Amino acid sequence: MLDSVKIARRQSEIRQQLSALVGKTEPSEDETRSMEALDAEYRTNETRYRAALTAEDTERREAGADLETRSDKDWSDLVGRFELRQVAFAIDEGRALTGATKEVVEELRQHGGYRGVPVPFAALEQRAGETIAEDQIKPKTYRNVIDRIFPNSVAARLGIERIQIERGELAFPVATSGAVFGWQTTELGNVGGPNPYETTERSLTPDHTGGAQMVISRKALMQAGRGLEDAIRRDLSAVISAELDRVVINGTGTGGQPLGIIPGAATYGITSTPVGAAASWAAFRAEIVAFMESNQITSANAVNLGLTPQIWADLDDALISGTAVSQWDRLTKHVGTPSLSNVIPDNTAILTATVQGIAPGYLGLWGGVDLIRDPYTKAQSGQLVLTGLVTADFTVPRGMQTRILTGLTGG
């Protein structure tokens, strides 16, 4: 802590003590001596305070740009103190933002244009042990809001990596051709002709913007109170995450959506194999062998696998003749537990691998959630409409790191 801050705090304490003493009409001798000592210390501290400010001038100028040079850990700590409750009241009642919430909003505004109040994605994450509804004397007590049910992320289980982007586009150069090895055919012969090093490019562009809308009634504000912050955070986070998860797998690339893995298989160069038979370990093993033969993995457990609950049921029900071992048992013995999700289309499975630290896909997120207030549409009933705008894009840098199985029929 800066010395000037310590001195300023001590001065405040002295003023409080003096305020209590000077209010007495007949102070005792001890109190009189205490007032003299405090007065002398206060005057001395004034001189020390001015000297500290002079000495700290350079540090203060550097601290003025603190938000611009803040490390990732400092930024995470700041976002951890972000209060969505303040945002709700700011857009509903016009209250001023304070503390860490104000700093985060100002920082986000400096790096992008927002019509409403910017909210960092990290602030939408559920925080353990925060915001517990307080019981008060009233006819009915309201506990924490019971949330809606959303699916868990299958994209994360498949190794898809999220990238936070401030502004502009992000490109991934991908090598498609390079050096080749050759032997001399004669003592003075060449080892082989030169081969060009060529690349192609995959880009994330801020061309896709979607929004999550929520209507907050007057009753909800009165019932939930402080618990409304957690409820809004969880609900916005869940609906945004669920939709981002869906477009990663099934985004059509039209109607404003990014292009996902399955509709974009041909565009991304992803191998899609129509099985046309019952789901079995043999079908998955063939794709894992293809990964190995292309030098991407060296063991089956390096593969991430996503499939539908129905395929799991078919595999678990298909027993190997004369044994109590199912096709599911054989699969999980080698691959581990796959991710089950209804986001994946029926009769379809996705296999991915992270190779040389490169994820099978990248989901780009620009800035934070732009939270916009609309107090007019539902003004007749005192309702508040909130819209959280999200700009995102998805791309697959190397199609060879993903394989798709279709037509996996029941056993």
Side-chain angles (χ1 to χ4, degrees):
M1 183 183 296
L2 296 175
D3 289 337
S4 60
V5 176
K6 295 179 182 178
I7 296 172
R9 290 185 176 181
R10 176 54 185 163
Q11 294 293 76
S12 177
E13 294 172 359
I14 293 174
R15 286 193 296 270
Q16 291 178 359
Q17 295 177 29
L18 285 172
S19 175
L21 292 173
V22 298
K24 297 185 176 182
T25 55
E26 297 180 4
S28 64
E29 292 182 3
D30 290 339
E31 290 172 338
T32 301
R33 285 193 297 270
S34 179
M35 281 189 287
E36 292 174 352
L38 289 172
D39 180 65
E41 182 183 354
Y42 189 92
R43 283 186 273 108
T44 301
N45 284 347
E46 283 294 300
T47 303
R48 293 180 58 221
Y49 182 75
R50 289 192 296 272
L53 288 178
T54 302
E56 296 164 0
D57 182 66
T58 301
E59 288 84 351
R60 286 179 177 277
R61 284 198 300 269
E62 294 174 352
D66 179 53
L67 277 179
E68 297 179 5
T69 60
R70 192 182 301 274
S71 68
D72 290 343
K73 182 178 184 301
D74 291 337
W75 174 252
S76 298
D77 293 341
L78 194 64
V79 172
R81 303 197 304 274
F82 186 93
E83 295 181 349
L84 197 61
R85 181 179 66 255
Q86 286 197 38
V87 176
F89 283 119
I91 59 182
D92 183 37
E93 303 176 2
R95 294 189 190 180
L97 301 176
T98 60
T101 304
K102 180 180 179 182
E103 290 187 55
V104 171
V105 170
E106 290 177 350
E107 172 74 359
L108 289 174
R109 287 193 189 282
Q110 290 177 9
H111 294 286
Y114 296 91
R115 292 181 55 201
V117 181
V119 179
F121 284 97
L124 297 179
E125 297 175 356
Q126 184 174 352
R127 304 173 189 173
E130 179 192 57
T131 311
I132 300 175
E134 297 177 358
D135 293 336
Q136 299 180 3
I137 300 175
K138 49 192 174 185
K140 185 183 290 185
T141 298
Y142 289 94
R143 295 290 183 176
N144 288 340
V145 178
I146 299 175
D147 301 326
R148 295 186 292 166
I149 298 177
F150 291 92
N152 292 325
S153 174
V154 65
R157 295 285 299 274
L158 289 174
I160 304 303
E161 184 175 329
R162 287 192 177 195
I163 300 178
Q164 196 72 37
I165 306 171
E166 264 188 23
R167 63 176 70 85
E169 299 184 9
L170 186 63
F172 299 91
V174 181
T176 57
S177 177
V180 294
F181 190 94
W183 293 98
Q184 285 181 320
T185 56
T186 63
E187 183 178 351
L188 301 178
N190 200 323
V191 295
N195 196 58
Y197 184 86
E198 298 176 340
T199 63
T200 186
E201 188 176 278
R202 296 291 188 190
S203 299
L204 293 172
T205 60
D207 297 333
H208 310 282
T209 296
Q213 288 194 321
M214 175 185 298
V215 178
I216 304 177
S217 68
R218 189 74 177 171
K219 180 180 179 180
L221 288 169
M222 297 300 102
Q223 284 180 332
R226 293 179 59 193
L228 185 64
E229 175 184 350
D230 258 355
I232 291 176
R233 177 188 295 118
R234 290 192 300 265
D235 205 68
L236 279 176
S237 176
V239 74
I240 290 172
S241 296
E243 178 58 18
L244 291 177
D245 209 46
R246 187 194 69 80
V247 297
V248 164
I249 305 298
N250 295 315
T252 61
T254 61
Q257 299 180 22
L259 184 60
I261 291 175
I262 293 178
T267 301
Y268 295 133
I270 298 173
T271 300
S272 181
T273 304
V275 178
S280 66
W281 159 239
F284 292 100
R285 182 177 58 200
E287 301 305 310
I288 294 173
V289 169
F291 275 126
M292 293 178 175
E293 290 178 341
S294 60
N295 300 319
Q296 296 185 64
I297 61 172
T298 56
S299 62
N301 60 11
V303 168
N304 305 308
L305 178 58
L307 41 83
T308 65
Q310 185 57 51
I311 293 178
W312 164 77
D314 293 338
L315 289 168
D316 190 58
D317 194 46
L319 298 179
I320 299 172
S321 179
T323 72
V325 178
S326 68
Q327 295 289 342
W328 177 257
D329 295 330
R330 296 188 68 188
L331 175 65
T332 55
K333 175 184 176 182
H334 296 282
V335 178
T337 304
S339 177
L340 306 179
S341 175
N342 285 324
V343 173
I344 300 174
D346 293 340
N347 306 322
T348 302
I350 301 175
L351 298 88
T352 65
T354 298
V355 183
Q356 299 170 338
I358 304 299
Y362 290 103
L363 175 64
L365 301 172
W366 275 261
V369 179
D370 191 0
L371 197 60
I372 299 174
R373 170 201 187 198
D374 177 10
Y376 306 110
T377 304
K378 304 288 185 179
Q380 299 90 336
S381 57
Q383 298 178 73
L384 175 67
V385 180
L386 297 180
T387 302
L389 296 180
V390 175
T391 299
D393 194 16
F394 175 75
T395 191
V396 173
R398 292 191 295 211
M400 63 189 302
Q401 292 180 222
T402 302
R403 302 183 73 87
I404 301 173
L405 291 176
T406 61
L408 294 167
T409 61

PDB file of all heavy atoms in Angstrom, residues 154 158 248-250 261-262 270 284 291 303-307 343-345 348-352 402-405 408:
ATOM      1  N   VAL A 154     -20.968 -29.999 -24.820  1.00  0.00           N
ATOM      2  CA  VAL A 154     -20.291 -31.096 -25.485  1.00  0.00           C
ATOM      3  C   VAL A 154     -19.090 -30.576 -26.253  1.00  0.00           C
ATOM      4  O   VAL A 154     -18.102 -31.287 -26.451  1.00  0.00           O
ATOM      5  CB  VAL A 154     -21.259 -31.847 -26.433  1.00  0.00           C
ATOM      6  CG1 VAL A 154     -21.707 -30.953 -27.567  1.00  0.00           C
ATOM      7  CG2 VAL A 154     -20.603 -33.101 -26.977  1.00  0.00           C
ATOM      8  N   LEU A 158     -15.209 -32.059 -26.441  1.00  0.00           N
ATOM      9  CA  LEU A 158     -14.590 -32.443 -27.700  1.00  0.00           C
ATOM     10  C   LEU A 158     -13.279 -31.696 -27.952  1.00  0.00           C
ATOM     11  O   LEU A 158     -12.651 -31.885 -28.987  1.00  0.00           O
ATOM     12  CB  LEU A 158     -15.552 -32.188 -28.871  1.00  0.00           C
ATOM     13  CG  LEU A 158     -16.761 -33.125 -28.971  1.00  0.00           C
ATOM     14  CD1 LEU A 158     -17.692 -32.670 -30.074  1.00  0.00           C
ATOM     15  CD2 LEU A 158     -16.307 -34.569 -29.206  1.00  0.00           C
ATOM     16  N   VAL A 248     -21.530 -24.630 -32.640  1.00  0.00           N
ATOM     17  CA  VAL A 248     -20.246 -25.302 -32.856  1.00  0.00           C
ATOM     18  C   VAL A 248     -20.474 -26.637 -33.558  1.00  0.00           C
ATOM     19  O   VAL A 248     -19.729 -27.020 -34.462  1.00  0.00           O
ATOM     20  CB  VAL A 248     -19.505 -25.519 -31.516  1.00  0.00           C
ATOM     21  CG1 VAL A 248     -18.384 -26.547 -31.671  1.00  0.00           C
ATOM     22  CG2 VAL A 248     -18.930 -24.206 -31.024  1.00  0.00           C
ATOM     23  N   ILE A 249     -21.523 -27.340 -33.182  1.00  0.00           N
ATOM     24  CA  ILE A 249     -21.818 -28.642 -33.776  1.00  0.00           C
ATOM     25  C   ILE A 249     -22.684 -28.509 -35.023  1.00  0.00           C
ATOM     26  O   ILE A 249     -22.399 -29.115 -36.065  1.00  0.00           O
ATOM     27  CB  ILE A 249     -22.525 -29.563 -32.758  1.00  0.00           C
ATOM     28  CG1 ILE A 249     -21.687 -29.694 -31.466  1.00  0.00           C
ATOM     29  CG2 ILE A 249     -22.798 -30.932 -33.365  1.00  0.00           C
ATOM     30  CD1 ILE A 249     -20.330 -30.312 -31.678  1.00  0.00           C
ATOM     31  N   ASN A 250     -23.761 -27.708 -34.938  1.00  0.00           N
ATOM     32  CA  ASN A 250     -24.779 -27.704 -35.987  1.00  0.00           C
ATOM     33  C   ASN A 250     -24.989 -26.345 -36.655  1.00  0.00           C
ATOM     34  O   ASN A 250     -25.982 -26.167 -37.368  1.00  0.00           O
ATOM     35  CB  ASN A 250     -26.126 -28.171 -35.412  1.00  0.00           C
ATOM     36  CG  ASN A 250     -26.093 -29.606 -34.945  1.00  0.00           C
ATOM     37  OD1 ASN A 250     -25.577 -30.472 -35.644  1.00  0.00           O
ATOM     38  ND2 ASN A 250     -26.622 -29.863 -33.759  1.00  0.00           N
ATOM     39  N   ILE A 261     -19.450 -27.839 -37.186  1.00  0.00           N
ATOM     40  CA  ILE A 261     -18.658 -29.000 -37.596  1.00  0.00           C
ATOM     41  C   ILE A 261     -19.399 -29.876 -38.604  1.00  0.00           C
ATOM     42  O   ILE A 261     -18.860 -30.216 -39.662  1.00  0.00           O
ATOM     43  CB  ILE A 261     -18.272 -29.836 -36.366  1.00  0.00           C
ATOM     44  CG1 ILE A 261     -17.264 -29.071 -35.499  1.00  0.00           C
ATOM     45  CG2 ILE A 261     -17.690 -31.180 -36.774  1.00  0.00           C
ATOM     46  CD1 ILE A 261     -16.914 -29.766 -34.196  1.00  0.00           C
ATOM     47  N   ILE A 262     -20.642 -30.235 -38.302  1.00  0.00           N
ATOM     48  CA  ILE A 262     -21.344 -31.193 -39.163  1.00  0.00           C
ATOM     49  C   ILE A 262     -21.802 -30.561 -40.476  1.00  0.00           C
ATOM     50  O   ILE A 262     -21.486 -31.084 -41.561  1.00  0.00           O
ATOM     51  CB  ILE A 262     -22.506 -31.839 -38.390  1.00  0.00           C
ATOM     52  CG1 ILE A 262     -21.930 -32.718 -37.267  1.00  0.00           C
ATOM     53  CG2 ILE A 262     -23.395 -32.664 -39.320  1.00  0.00           C
ATOM     54  CD1 ILE A 262     -22.957 -33.386 -36.398  1.00  0.00           C
ATOM     55  N   ILE A 270     -13.374 -32.166 -43.298  1.00  0.00           N
ATOM     56  CA  ILE A 270     -13.580 -33.208 -42.294  1.00  0.00           C
ATOM     57  C   ILE A 270     -14.105 -34.469 -42.973  1.00  0.00           C
ATOM     58  O   ILE A 270     -15.040 -34.412 -43.778  1.00  0.00           O
ATOM     59  CB  ILE A 270     -14.567 -32.736 -41.209  1.00  0.00           C
ATOM     60  CG1 ILE A 270     -14.006 -31.517 -40.461  1.00  0.00           C
ATOM     61  CG2 ILE A 270     -14.897 -33.854 -40.231  1.00  0.00           C
ATOM     62  CD1 ILE A 270     -14.990 -30.883 -39.499  1.00  0.00           C
ATOM     63  N   PHE A 284     -16.024 -47.430 -34.455  1.00  0.00           N
ATOM     64  CA  PHE A 284     -15.214 -46.370 -33.848  1.00  0.00           C
ATOM     65  C   PHE A 284     -13.729 -46.694 -33.957  1.00  0.00           C
ATOM     66  O   PHE A 284     -12.901 -45.801 -34.152  1.00  0.00           O
ATOM     67  CB  PHE A 284     -15.618 -46.178 -32.382  1.00  0.00           C
ATOM     68  CG  PHE A 284     -16.999 -45.622 -32.207  1.00  0.00           C
ATOM     69  CD1 PHE A 284     -18.063 -46.444 -31.898  1.00  0.00           C
ATOM     70  CD2 PHE A 284     -17.242 -44.264 -32.376  1.00  0.00           C
ATOM     71  CE1 PHE A 284     -19.336 -45.941 -31.740  1.00  0.00           C
ATOM     72  CE2 PHE A 284     -18.523 -43.748 -32.217  1.00  0.00           C
ATOM     73  CZ  PHE A 284     -19.571 -44.588 -31.908  1.00  0.00           C
ATOM     74  N   PHE A 291      -6.899 -42.043 -37.420  1.00  0.00           N
ATOM     75  CA  PHE A 291      -6.155 -40.997 -36.699  1.00  0.00           C
ATOM     76  C   PHE A 291      -4.698 -41.419 -36.514  1.00  0.00           C
ATOM     77  O   PHE A 291      -3.778 -40.626 -36.715  1.00  0.00           O
ATOM     78  CB  PHE A 291      -6.783 -40.741 -35.331  1.00  0.00           C
ATOM     79  CG  PHE A 291      -7.938 -39.770 -35.338  1.00  0.00           C
ATOM     80  CD1 PHE A 291      -9.158 -40.122 -34.795  1.00  0.00           C
ATOM     81  CD2 PHE A 291      -7.795 -38.507 -35.880  1.00  0.00           C
ATOM     82  CE1 PHE A 291     -10.216 -39.236 -34.788  1.00  0.00           C
ATOM     83  CE2 PHE A 291      -8.857 -37.606 -35.875  1.00  0.00           C
ATOM     84  CZ  PHE A 291     -10.074 -37.974 -35.333  1.00  0.00           C
ATOM     85  N   VAL A 303      -8.312 -39.661 -28.142  1.00  0.00           N
ATOM     86  CA  VAL A 303      -9.458 -39.236 -28.945  1.00  0.00           C
ATOM     87  C   VAL A 303     -10.588 -38.748 -28.031  1.00  0.00           C
ATOM     88  O   VAL A 303     -10.875 -39.378 -27.001  1.00  0.00           O
ATOM     89  CB  VAL A 303      -9.960 -40.391 -29.837  1.00  0.00           C
ATOM     90  CG1 VAL A 303     -11.310 -40.056 -30.457  1.00  0.00           C
ATOM     91  CG2 VAL A 303      -8.948 -40.677 -30.920  1.00  0.00           C
ATOM     92  N   ASN A 304     -11.223 -37.646 -28.408  1.00  0.00           N
ATOM     93  CA  ASN A 304     -12.420 -37.165 -27.727  1.00  0.00           C
ATOM     94  C   ASN A 304     -13.627 -37.631 -28.538  1.00  0.00           C
ATOM     95  O   ASN A 304     -13.663 -37.456 -29.766  1.00  0.00           O
ATOM     96  CB  ASN A 304     -12.425 -35.638 -27.638  1.00  0.00           C
ATOM     97  CG  ASN A 304     -11.179 -35.101 -26.977  1.00  0.00           C
ATOM     98  OD1 ASN A 304     -10.816 -35.531 -25.885  1.00  0.00           O
ATOM     99  ND2 ASN A 304     -10.512 -34.163 -27.627  1.00  0.00           N
ATOM    100  N   LEU A 305     -14.598 -38.185 -27.875  1.00  0.00           N
ATOM    101  CA  LEU A 305     -15.741 -38.772 -28.577  1.00  0.00           C
ATOM    102  C   LEU A 305     -17.047 -38.188 -28.049  1.00  0.00           C
ATOM    103  O   LEU A 305     -17.262 -38.107 -26.840  1.00  0.00           O
ATOM    104  CB  LEU A 305     -15.731 -40.294 -28.389  1.00  0.00           C
ATOM    105  CG  LEU A 305     -16.878 -41.090 -29.006  1.00  0.00           C
ATOM    106  CD1 LEU A 305     -16.949 -40.866 -30.508  1.00  0.00           C
ATOM    107  CD2 LEU A 305     -16.709 -42.577 -28.692  1.00  0.00           C
ATOM    108  N   GLY A 306     -17.911 -37.777 -28.980  1.00  0.00           N
ATOM    109  CA  GLY A 306     -19.236 -37.283 -28.623  1.00  0.00           C
ATOM    110  C   GLY A 306     -20.297 -38.036 -29.405  1.00  0.00           C
ATOM    111  O   GLY A 306     -20.152 -38.232 -30.624  1.00  0.00           O
ATOM    112  N   LEU A 307     -21.347 -38.462 -28.722  1.00  0.00           N
ATOM    113  CA  LEU A 307     -22.428 -39.183 -29.396  1.00  0.00           C
ATOM    114  C   LEU A 307     -23.739 -38.943 -28.667  1.00  0.00           C
ATOM    115  O   LEU A 307     -23.777 -38.307 -27.612  1.00  0.00           O
ATOM    116  CB  LEU A 307     -22.111 -40.679 -29.499  1.00  0.00           C
ATOM    117  CG  LEU A 307     -21.476 -41.379 -28.284  1.00  0.00           C
ATOM    118  CD1 LEU A 307     -22.532 -41.766 -27.282  1.00  0.00           C
ATOM    119  CD2 LEU A 307     -20.699 -42.610 -28.721  1.00  0.00           C
ATOM    120  N   VAL A 343     -27.327 -32.419 -28.586  1.00  0.00           N
ATOM    121  CA  VAL A 343     -26.913 -31.423 -29.567  1.00  0.00           C
ATOM    122  C   VAL A 343     -26.424 -32.118 -30.839  1.00  0.00           C
ATOM    123  O   VAL A 343     -26.584 -31.614 -31.951  1.00  0.00           O
ATOM    124  CB  VAL A 343     -25.805 -30.515 -28.984  1.00  0.00           C
ATOM    125  CG1 VAL A 343     -25.246 -29.579 -30.047  1.00  0.00           C
ATOM    126  CG2 VAL A 343     -26.347 -29.709 -27.810  1.00  0.00           C
ATOM    127  N   ILE A 344     -25.823 -33.294 -30.673  1.00  0.00           N
ATOM    128  CA  ILE A 344     -25.344 -34.063 -31.823  1.00  0.00           C
ATOM    129  C   ILE A 344     -26.549 -34.691 -32.530  1.00  0.00           C
ATOM    130  O   ILE A 344     -27.443 -35.233 -31.872  1.00  0.00           O
ATOM    131  CB  ILE A 344     -24.364 -35.157 -31.358  1.00  0.00           C
ATOM    132  CG1 ILE A 344     -23.161 -34.517 -30.663  1.00  0.00           C
ATOM    133  CG2 ILE A 344     -23.900 -36.014 -32.534  1.00  0.00           C
ATOM    134  CD1 ILE A 344     -22.207 -35.503 -30.046  1.00  0.00           C
ATOM    135  N   PRO A 345     -26.618 -34.625 -33.857  1.00  0.00           N
ATOM    136  CA  PRO A 345     -27.766 -35.190 -34.582  1.00  0.00           C
ATOM    137  C   PRO A 345     -27.921 -36.684 -34.347  1.00  0.00           C
ATOM    138  O   PRO A 345     -26.973 -37.389 -33.983  1.00  0.00           O
ATOM    139  CB  PRO A 345     -27.426 -34.894 -36.056  1.00  0.00           C
ATOM    140  CG  PRO A 345     -26.476 -33.746 -36.011  1.00  0.00           C
ATOM    141  CD  PRO A 345     -25.679 -33.932 -34.759  1.00  0.00           C
ATOM    142  N   THR A 348     -25.486 -40.125 -35.180  1.00  0.00           N
ATOM    143  CA  THR A 348     -24.224 -39.484 -35.557  1.00  0.00           C
ATOM    144  C   THR A 348     -23.275 -39.464 -34.364  1.00  0.00           C
ATOM    145  O   THR A 348     -23.700 -39.322 -33.211  1.00  0.00           O
ATOM    146  CB  THR A 348     -24.461 -38.041 -36.044  1.00  0.00           C
ATOM    147  OG1 THR A 348     -25.360 -38.074 -37.154  1.00  0.00           O
ATOM    148  CG2 THR A 348     -23.158 -37.376 -36.476  1.00  0.00           C
ATOM    149  N   ALA A 349     -21.987 -39.609 -34.635  1.00  0.00           N
ATOM    150  CA  ALA A 349     -20.946 -39.506 -33.608  1.00  0.00           C
ATOM    151  C   ALA A 349     -19.808 -38.659 -34.154  1.00  0.00           C
ATOM    152  O   ALA A 349     -19.547 -38.629 -35.367  1.00  0.00           O
ATOM    153  CB  ALA A 349     -20.432 -40.887 -33.213  1.00  0.00           C
ATOM    154  N   ILE A 350     -19.137 -37.940 -33.257  1.00  0.00           N
ATOM    155  CA  ILE A 350     -18.021 -37.063 -33.636  1.00  0.00           C
ATOM    156  C   ILE A 350     -16.784 -37.486 -32.867  1.00  0.00           C
ATOM    157  O   ILE A 350     -16.836 -37.680 -31.645  1.00  0.00           O
ATOM    158  CB  ILE A 350     -18.348 -35.588 -33.336  1.00  0.00           C
ATOM    159  CG1 ILE A 350     -19.606 -35.146 -34.090  1.00  0.00           C
ATOM    160  CG2 ILE A 350     -17.179 -34.683 -33.711  1.00  0.00           C
ATOM    161  CD1 ILE A 350     -20.052 -33.738 -33.742  1.00  0.00           C
ATOM    162  N   LEU A 351     -15.667 -37.626 -33.559  1.00  0.00           N
ATOM    163  CA  LEU A 351     -14.385 -37.949 -32.939  1.00  0.00           C
ATOM    164  C   LEU A 351     -13.424 -36.805 -33.241  1.00  0.00           C
ATOM    165  O   LEU A 351     -13.312 -36.360 -34.397  1.00  0.00           O
ATOM    166  CB  LEU A 351     -13.809 -39.258 -33.473  1.00  0.00           C
ATOM    167  CG  LEU A 351     -14.609 -40.536 -33.250  1.00  0.00           C
ATOM    168  CD1 LEU A 351     -15.601 -40.757 -34.400  1.00  0.00           C
ATOM    169  CD2 LEU A 351     -13.681 -41.745 -33.129  1.00  0.00           C
ATOM    170  N   THR A 352     -12.717 -36.327 -32.220  1.00  0.00           N
ATOM    171  CA  THR A 352     -11.746 -35.247 -32.406  1.00  0.00           C
ATOM    172  C   THR A 352     -10.451 -35.594 -31.685  1.00  0.00           C
ATOM    173  O   THR A 352     -10.424 -36.444 -30.789  1.00  0.00           O
ATOM    174  CB  THR A 352     -12.269 -33.904 -31.866  1.00  0.00           C
ATOM    175  OG1 THR A 352     -12.425 -34.001 -30.436  1.00  0.00           O
ATOM    176  CG2 THR A 352     -13.597 -33.523 -32.498  1.00  0.00           C
ATOM    177  N   THR A 402     -10.650 -34.033 -37.020  1.00  0.00           N
ATOM    178  CA  THR A 402     -12.034 -34.375 -36.694  1.00  0.00           C
ATOM    179  C   THR A 402     -12.548 -35.404 -37.689  1.00  0.00           C
ATOM    180  O   THR A 402     -12.249 -35.334 -38.885  1.00  0.00           O
ATOM    181  CB  THR A 402     -12.922 -33.127 -36.738  1.00  0.00           C
ATOM    182  OG1 THR A 402     -12.432 -32.138 -35.830  1.00  0.00           O
ATOM    183  CG2 THR A 402     -14.363 -33.464 -36.363  1.00  0.00           C
ATOM    184  N   ARG A 403     -13.325 -36.370 -37.196  1.00  0.00           N
ATOM    185  CA  ARG A 403     -13.942 -37.377 -38.062  1.00  0.00           C
ATOM    186  C   ARG A 403     -15.396 -37.572 -37.598  1.00  0.00           C
ATOM    187  O   ARG A 403     -15.675 -37.479 -36.387  1.00  0.00           O
ATOM    188  CB  ARG A 403     -13.183 -38.698 -38.027  1.00  0.00           C
ATOM    189  CG  ARG A 403     -11.718 -38.559 -38.439  1.00  0.00           C
ATOM    190  CD  ARG A 403     -10.997 -39.900 -38.477  1.00  0.00           C
ATOM    191  NE  ARG A 403     -11.410 -40.701 -39.621  1.00  0.00           N
ATOM    192  CZ  ARG A 403     -10.842 -40.613 -40.837  1.00  0.00           C
ATOM    193  NH1 ARG A 403      -9.869 -39.751 -41.049  1.00  0.00           N
ATOM    194  NH2 ARG A 403     -11.260 -41.398 -41.809  1.00  0.00           N
ATOM    195  N   ILE A 404     -16.273 -37.821 -38.544  1.00  0.00           N
ATOM    196  CA  ILE A 404     -17.705 -37.940 -38.252  1.00  0.00           C
ATOM    197  C   ILE A 404     -18.201 -39.303 -38.736  1.00  0.00           C
ATOM    198  O   ILE A 404     -17.850 -39.748 -39.835  1.00  0.00           O
ATOM    199  CB  ILE A 404     -18.508 -36.824 -38.942  1.00  0.00           C
ATOM    200  CG1 ILE A 404     -18.032 -35.444 -38.473  1.00  0.00           C
ATOM    201  CG2 ILE A 404     -19.999 -36.980 -38.664  1.00  0.00           C
ATOM    202  CD1 ILE A 404     -18.671 -34.298 -39.232  1.00  0.00           C
ATOM    203  N   LEU A 405     -18.988 -39.953 -37.899  1.00  0.00           N
ATOM    204  CA  LEU A 405     -19.676 -41.181 -38.275  1.00  0.00           C
ATOM    205  C   LEU A 405     -21.169 -40.905 -38.374  1.00  0.00           C
ATOM    206  O   LEU A 405     -21.767 -40.333 -37.457  1.00  0.00           O
ATOM    207  CB  LEU A 405     -19.432 -42.294 -37.249  1.00  0.00           C
ATOM    208  CG  LEU A 405     -18.019 -42.893 -37.166  1.00  0.00           C
ATOM    209  CD1 LEU A 405     -17.967 -43.893 -36.030  1.00  0.00           C
ATOM    210  CD2 LEU A 405     -17.646 -43.532 -38.484  1.00  0.00           C
ATOM    211  N   LEU A 408     -25.465 -44.490 -37.829  1.00  0.00           N
ATOM    212  CA  LEU A 408     -25.288 -45.525 -36.807  1.00  0.00           C
ATOM    213  C   LEU A 408     -26.664 -45.966 -36.338  1.00  0.00           C
ATOM    214  O   LEU A 408     -27.276 -45.349 -35.467  1.00  0.00           O
ATOM    215  CB  LEU A 408     -24.466 -44.981 -35.639  1.00  0.00           C
ATOM    216  CG  LEU A 408     -23.001 -44.635 -35.960  1.00  0.00           C
ATOM    217  CD1 LEU A 408     -22.389 -43.827 -34.833  1.00  0.00           C
ATOM    218  CD2 LEU A 408     -22.193 -45.907 -36.186  1.00  0.00           C
TER     219      LEU A 408
END
